[in-house]
Amino acid sequence: MNGVSTWLLILTPLLPLVLAVPALRARLPWPCHVALLPALALLAMPADAAVDLPWLLLGSGLALDAGLGRWPLAMAVLVWGAAASLLPAAGGRPVDARLASWFLLTLSGGLGAILATELVGFFSFSVLMGYGFYALLVSGGDVPARRAARVYLVLLIVADLALFEALLMAASTAGETAFEAVRPAMAASPSAALYVAMVLVGFAARAGLWPLHVWLVPLSRSVRPGVVLLLGAVPVATALLGLVRWLPLGDASLPGAGLVVQGMGVAAVLSALVAMARRRGCASWPAWGCVLATGLFAIALGAGLADAAVWGRFGGWAGLFIAAVGLAVALLVAACAWRRTGGVPVAGRADDAPAWFERWAAAAVRRAARLGMETLPRWRAAGLAGAACLWRVRAWRRALDGGERLLQRWACAVILVVLVGIVVALAGASFGGR
Amino acid sequence: MPFAGVPWEVLIILLPLAGAMACFLWPRRALPLALLTALAVSVGVAGLGWQVVTQGVKRHAVGGWGAPLGIDLYADGLSLLMLAVTAVVALAVGVYARGYFKARAARAFWPLSLFLWAALNALFLSADIFNLYVTLELLGLAAVALVALAGGAAALNGAMRYLLVGLLGSLAYLLGVALLYHGFGSLDLAILGERVEASPVVWAAMGLMSAGLLLKTALFPLHFWLPAAHASAPAPVSALLSALVVKASFYILLRLWLTAFPPTDAVVAQLLGLLGAGAVLWGGMQALRQTRLKLLVAYSTVAQLGYLFLAFPLASVMGWGGAIYLLLSHAVAKTAMFMAAGNIRRFGGHDRIADLDRVAQRLPLTIAAFGLAGVSIMGLPPSGGFIAKWLLLEAAVRTNQWWWVVVLVAGGLLTAAWVFRVIGYAFTQARVPHAPRAVPVGMEWAALAMAVTAIVLGLVAPWPLALLAVGAPFAGGAGG
Amino acid sequence: MSGEAALPLLVLASSLLPGLVIFFLPEQRVALRTTLNLAGAVLKLALVGVMIWGVFHGVHYEARLPLLPGLDLVLRADPLAMLFVVLSSFLWLVTTVYAIGYLEGSPHRSRFFGFFSLCVTATVGVALAGNLITFLLFYELLTLATYPLIVHRGTDEARRAGRTYLIYTIAGGALLLIGTVWLYTLSGTLAFTSRGFLSGLDASLHGALAVIFVLLIAGLGVKAALIPLHGWLPQAMVAPAPVSALLHAVAVVKAGAFGIVRVLHDVYGIQFAAGLGLTLPLAMLAAATVVYGSLRALFQDDLKRRLAFSTVSQVAYIVLGIAIAGPLAVVGGLVHLVHQGLMKITLFFCAGNLAETLGIHKISEMDGVGRRMPWTMTAFSIGALGMIGVPPTVGFISKWYLGLGALETGQGWVIAVLAGSSLLNAAYFLPILYAAWFKAPAGDWPAERDFGRRETAWALLAPSLLTAFLTLAFGLLALAPFSPLQWASFIADLEYAR
C-alpha cells in the first residue's frame, strides 16, 4: 500500500506537468480529467501518505496529512474537475491546445502546493500555479481581463519577492525549510515580526485579501466562466493554505500582528458587504464573495495568531475552512453563471481606462527614463566625444606634424646631435666624479 | 666532438664575405650561392653557440696577436644571441627575397645583403672600439646601398640622407675612439674598462660616442632619417634595417656603457631613459597617424627602439635582460611585419591603410603574420615582447621608478591602437573588386614563420636568458 | 610525461589543434571542418570528464612550463578550475553545433571556426591557470581571439564595436599586468593558493596590496562588465548570435568574473581581503552594477541589447556572491557562474533563432511569435524565468544561496538589491514573454525563412532546448551529486575549511 501511495503522491503534480506538453497528450482523450486521476486515487487512500524527495530542489517532500491537506485537496479535485469540464465549452469552440497546457500547468502547481511539506516546495509549486493562472486569465481574455491579469501579475511578483525574503529568513534561522521545523524556529526568532509581516503581505496579495483585492473584481467579471470557477479554489485557497502553513501559528503569540490581521479581516468583510449591497448585478459577486470569505478567514487567523492557545484548540478546522471557501466561491460563480445564461459578459466601460496604480507606474518609468537612465550614458558619450574632439583639435595635429618636420631638418638634427653629445658629456662630468 | 676546435667565429665573418664575392662574380647563380652561404653561416653560428654554451666565453686572437695590439674576436652570451637572431632574420629574409626581387635588383641584393651580414657578424664579435668603428662603417655603407636598391626619387633621397647620417654618426664615434686611445693607450674594451677613470677626456669621448651612436640608433629626437629610409627601401631591406642594423649601434652603445665607460651617476641613465620614453610616445603617436603602412611600421620601429633605452635607468640584470629580449623579439617581429607590409603592397599595388579592405581579406596568412607580429610588438602574452615587457616592468617596479611603468604601459596601448587600426581593415568587406597580383607562397610563409617565431620566443624565454648570462656581460658596470 | 601532467595539456590541445587546422581549410570543406569541430569538442568533453573524476578523487593534475626564471606557466586542475572548465567545454560543444547551423552558407567560416576554437582554448586556459601570470596570458589571448569574432560580419558597426571592445579590454589588460607585476615584486610568487598567499606579508605593505587589488579588479572588471567598465558589452552584441552566446555565457564576461573569484580566493584569500576592508566596496560596486544593468535593460528595444544589459546585471551577481564573503554566498556566486551561463546561452540561442528564422531583432517585432516558434519560445521563457529567479529554475538556486549568504554575514542590504533586481528582471523579461505568447502576430515576419514542417533548423533548436532543459534540471536536481551546486559547495568547503 505504501508504495502505491508514494507513487500517487509523486504522480499527482507530475502527471499534469507531463501532459502539459502538447505532443504527449495528443492521443489522450480528456487529458485534463486524466491528469486529476492520481489526486483522486490519493484521496481514496484512507491512510496518510508521505514521501521524501531529498534530490528535488533543495531537499523536498510531498505528503498528504489528514488535518490540513485532505480537505483542500478534495475541494481542489472537485473544482478542477468541474472547470475541466467547462473548459471546452468556453466560446463554443474546441479547447485550444495552449489553453489546455496552461490549465495543466496551473493544475500541477495547485495540487503540488497542497502536498508540499516544506517552504521551498510550496513556494515553487505556488509560483508555477501563479504564472499558469495568469496565462489562463490572459489567453483568450478581453482587454479588461488582460489589464486585470496584469495587475494580478504585478501583485504576484511582489508577493513572490516578499515570500522569498521570508523564505530566506526562515531558512537562515531554522537551518532547514520543513514546515514543522520552521514554525517553532521562527516563533523563537527575534525577527519573527518581520517574518510574519512578509508572509502576510505575500499571501494577502495572492489571496486578494483587503486591501490587495484590486485584481479580483475586474477579473471575475470578464474572464471565461471555466476560469472564474477556479478563482476561489486556486489562488485564494492556496494562499490561505500558505498562511496556515508558513505562519508560526500555535507556537507564538503575536497580539499586535493578530490585531492587524483581524482589522484587515473586518475591513474586508465590511467592504465586501457594502460593495455587494451597492451593486445590482451579480457579475462581481464571486469576487466580493472571495473578499468576504478571506476576510472571515483573516479574523479567525488573527485570533489564532494573537494567542497560541486559541490556535491550538481551533486550528484543526483550518483545512476544512479553506476547502469551504473554495467550494463556496465556486458555487457562487456557478450560481451567477446560471442566472446570467445567455447574456454576454458585462464589461464595464469604466474598466477600459487604466487604473490609478498603472498610470502612476507608467509615469514613474517615463520620468526615470528622462531623469537618470538615459542621461547618464549621454553624459559619458558626451565625455568620449569631447575626448575625441580634443584629439582632433588642430593644435594637436599641427604639433605632431610640425614637430616631425622640424626634426627632419638637417640644421635641427645636427644641433640636436651636438646637444645630446654635450649634455651626456656634461652630465657624466658633473655627476660621475663623485 | 670533432668540431670543438673549429674557429667558427672567424668562419662566420669570412663565409658571408666569400659568398658576397661569389654572388657578385656569378650573378646568374646568385640565388643558390646566397642561400647556400646563408645555410653555412647559420651552421657556423650554431657551432659557435655550441662552443660558447659548453666551454664558456670565447676569445680569439686573429692572426695570433692578442690585445692590445692585435684584433680580438670575443663571443659571450650577448654576442651569441645577436648573432643568432641575425642568422634567423637573414635566413627568413633570404627566403622572402627569393620571391620578392625581379632579376635586376636581385643581382645587387644578394651580394650586398651577404656583405651586410658579414659586417653584422664582425660587429657583434668585435672586442675593441676601433674594430667596432670599422664594422659600423661597413654596415652603414652596405645598408645605404641596399636602400638605394629600390630606385626612384624617394628611395634615393632616403638613401642619401641615410648615408649622411651614417657618416655623421660614425665621425662622432671615431672622434670619441681617438680621444679614448689618446687618453688610455688601448682600444680593447676590456682593457679600457680597467684603465678608464673619470676625467674630462672620458666625458668628452662619452658625449661624442653616445651622440654618434644615438644618431645611428635613431633614438628620438634623432630619428628623423629612419622612417624615410626604412619606408622607401624594398621590403626585405626594410626588414633587415629595422630588425638588425639599428640594433647594431645600440649594441655598441651597450657594450661601451657596460664595460668601457666609468660608472656615472644615475642622471645620464635617466636622460637616456627620458629620450627612450620620448621615443616610445612620439613614435607611437606618429605611427598612429600614418596613412601608409610601411611608414607606420617604420615609426613603430622608432617607438620600439625607445624601449631599449628604458633599460638604462632600470640598470639591473633584469632590466638589461628585458631590453635584450625586446631587441630579439622586436627583430623577429618587425621582420615579419615588414614582410607582411611588402606582401600587401605587392598584392594590391599600394599600401594606403584606408584602402586595405580590398586586399586584406585575400591574404589571410599575411594578415595573420601581421597580427601575430603585432601581438609581440604590443607586448601581449604569449610572445617575446611580453616577456621583455614583463622584465622591464618588474625592474621598474622593483626600483620604484613608477614613471617608467607608465611609459611602458602607455607605449603598449599606443602600439595596440595602431596594430588594430590596421587589423580592423582585414575584416571589412571589400567594396570595390580589383585585380590583385599574386604573391608567391614563399613570401607569405616567410612572414608567418617569423611572426610565429616571435610568439614562440615568449614560451622559451629561460633559454635565451640563461644564454645571456654566459660571460656575465651585465654583471660589472651596471651604469648607474 | 605522466598522465597527471598530460591531461591539462591535452584538454587545451583538443581545441587548439583543430582550431589551427581549421584556419588552413578551404572554405568549401564543410564536412571536414564540421567533423574536426565536433570531434574536438567531444574529445575535450570526454577528457574533462576523466579529469573531473580524478579531481574529485584527489588526483593532482598539473603541467608546468618554465616561462621566466622563477616563474612557470602552470596548468592545474583544482575544483574551482573544473567548475569553469566543465562549463566552457560543455557549452562549447553546444555552441559549436549551434554555430554550424547558424552560419550555414555564410562566408569566412574557416576563419570563424578557427578563432572560435582559439577562443575556447583561451577560456579553458583561463580556467586551468595555476598562477596569475598563466591566467594573464590566457586572459589576453582571449581578448585577441574574441576580437575577430566580434568584427566577423565586417560591417562598420561591427568594426566600431570591435574597436570599443579592444579599447576597454586592452586597457584593462594593461592594468592587470601592472597589478600582477607589482604583486610579484612584493610577494615573490604568483601561484594560486587556497586561502591566498598574501596574508603573511608585512603590515606596512597592506596599503600597496589594497592598491594592487584595485588594479586587478579594474583589469578584470572590464571583462566582467562591472560598471563603469561595461560600455563594450552592449556594443559587442553586433556579433553573430553564437558568438554573443559564447561571449556572454562562457568566454569573456565569465573569464573576468572567474578572475575576480581567483583573485579573491586564491591570491588574497577572502578572509584576508575582508580584513583589508576590500570586499565591502567590491560588493557595493557589484550591487550597483546589478541594479544599473537591469535598469538599462528596461529601456532597450533591441532584443540582444536588452540581453546584453541583463548580462551586465547577472554577471555582477557572481562578483556580489564572492564579495559578500560568507561560505553560503560564495556557493551562490560560484554556482551562478554556471547557472548564468546556461540561462544566458539559452536566451541568446533563442534570440539567434528568431533572427535567423524570422528576421526578428527587436522586441516590438515579437508579438505572437510564440505561436510560430513554440519550442524556441518555450526555451526562451525558461531562460527568462530563470533570470528572474523563479523556482525551480537554476536562477532561483543562485539567488537562494546569495540571499542566505547575505543573511549569514548580516548584510541585509544585499537582500534588498536581490529583490530589486528580481523585480526589474521581471519588468524587462515578462513583457517579452507576454508579447510572444499572448499577443496576436502583427502581420508578416520581417524576413521569414522556410524550414518545412519544423519551426527552424535542428541545429539551431536542439542546443537551445538542451540548455533550457538543463536550466530546469539543474534547478530541480540541485542536490544531485556532481550538480553545479554540489561542486560549488565542494569548492566553498575547501576555501572555508569547514
Side-chain angles (χ1 to χ4, degrees), chain C residues 232-460:
Chain C
W232 60 274
L233 188 62
Q235 286 202 37
M237 59 85 208
V238 298
V243 176
S244 301
L246 206 63
L247 218 67
H248 285 255
V250 193
V252 178
V253 287
K254 282 303 169 53
F258 182 78
I260 293 178
V261 176
R262 275 288 192 208
V263 165
L264 266 171
H265 267 203
D266 294 342
V267 175
Y268 279 75
I270 288 187
Q271 322 286 25
F272 181 60
L276 290 178
L278 298 171
T279 51
L280 188 63
L282 182 61
M284 286 183 164
L285 179 69
T289 310
V290 166
V291 175
Y292 180 79
S294 304
L295 277 176
R296 290 278 286 149
L298 207 53
F299 299 104
Q300 309 300 329
D301 187 35
D302 190 303
L303 180 57
K304 281 175 82 179
R305 223 175 138 74
R306 185 174 284 194
L307 293 182
F309 273 113
S310 144
T311 305
V312 172
S313 156
Q314 292 282 331
V315 169
Y317 275 6
I318 303 170
V319 181
L320 183 63
I322 304 300
I324 290 172
L328 284 175
V330 166
V331 172
L334 288 176
V335 80
H336 200 59
L337 195 81
V338 177
H339 288 169
Q340 192 267 351
L342 284 174
M343 297 186 286
K344 194 38 80 55
I345 210 165
T346 311
L347 290 174
F348 267 105
F349 282 165
C350 294
N353 287 358
L354 293 178
E356 270 299 282
T357 317
L358 302 178
I360 292 176
H361 296 280
K362 293 197 179 317
I363 291 159
S364 48
E365 297 164 349
M366 284 180 72
D367 291 357
V369 76
R371 284 174 211 274
R372 171 67 177 76
M373 304 180 69
W375 285 110
T376 300
M377 284 318 293
T378 304
F380 187 91
S381 305
I382 292 172
L385 291 176
M387 285 289 173
I388 302 170
V390 170
T393 57
V394 286
F396 171 73
I397 306 289
S398 305
K399 261 179 200 165
W400 173 259
Y401 275 90
L402 286 176
L404 277 187
L407 284 182
E408 183 187 51
T409 52
Q411 304 187 52
W413 59 275
V414 174
I415 304 274
V417 170
L418 288 180
S421 164
S422 292
L423 205 59
L424 287 168
N425 269 288
Y428 65 78
F429 273 124
L430 290 183
I432 304 181
L433 300 190
Y434 176 78
W437 288 115
F438 301 119
K439 280 193 182 168
D444 285 344
W445 306 109
E448 189 168 358
R449 279 170 63 193
D450 192 18
F451 287 94
R453 281 184 53 229
R454 278 175 277 126
E455 63 179 65
T456 184
W458 263 117
L460 299 183

Side-chain angles (χ1 to χ4, degrees), chain A residues 57-58 98 134 146 165, chain C residues 371 400 415 434 437-438 476:
Chain A
L57 278 169
L58 303 156
R98 292 197 307 158
Y134 166 75
R146 290 184 172 214
E165 321 284 88
Chain C
R371 284 174 211 274
W400 173 259
I415 304 274
Y434 176 78
W437 288 115
F438 301 119
L476 271 175

Side-chain angles (χ1 to χ4, degrees), chain A residues 261-290:
Chain A
V261 175
Q262 278 181 317
M264 279 163 69
V266 170
V269 170
L270 286 179
S271 67
L273 287 177
V274 169
M276 284 165 102
R278 273 179 56 192
R279 306 245 165 138
R280 290 271 150 240
C282 66
S284 57
W285 275 29
W288 289 113
C290 265

Side-chain angles (χ1 to χ4, degrees), chain B residues 28 43 48 57 176 181 185 277 330 335 338-339 344 351 393 404 438 472:
Chain B
R28 284 165 183 254
V43 170
L48 182 63
V57 174
Y181 187 63
H330 173 247
T335 309
F338 266 119
M339 287 175 172
I344 289 173
D351 67 345
L393 275 175
W404 303 129

Side-chain angles (χ1 to χ4, degrees), chain A residues 363-385:
Chain A
V365 167
R366 268 202 308 278
R367 195 138 316 152
R370 220 172 298 145
L371 267 182
M373 292 312 107
E374 294 302 327
T375 320
L376 206 60
R378 210 175 296 148
W379 276 348
R380 214 181 45 213
L384 282 178

Side-chain angles (χ1 to χ4, degrees), chain A residues 379-406:
Chain A
W379 276 348
R380 214 181 45 213
L384 282 178
C389 281
L390 207 66
W391 178 249
R392 290 215 188 91
V393 163
R394 278 260 178 71
W396 268 92
R397 232 190 310 182
R398 218 179 294 149
L400 283 171
D401 280 345
E404 195 62 17
R405 243 195 324 270
L406 190 72

Side-chain angles (χ1 to χ4, degrees), chain A residues 166 169 186 191-202 243 246-248 252 254 257-258 261 305:
Chain A
M169 278 200 273
M186 285 322 291
S191 50
L194 188 58
Y195 174 77
V196 169
M198 288 285 180
V199 173
L200 276 178
V201 168
L243 277 176
W246 286 44
L247 287 176
L254 299 161
V261 175
L305 200 57

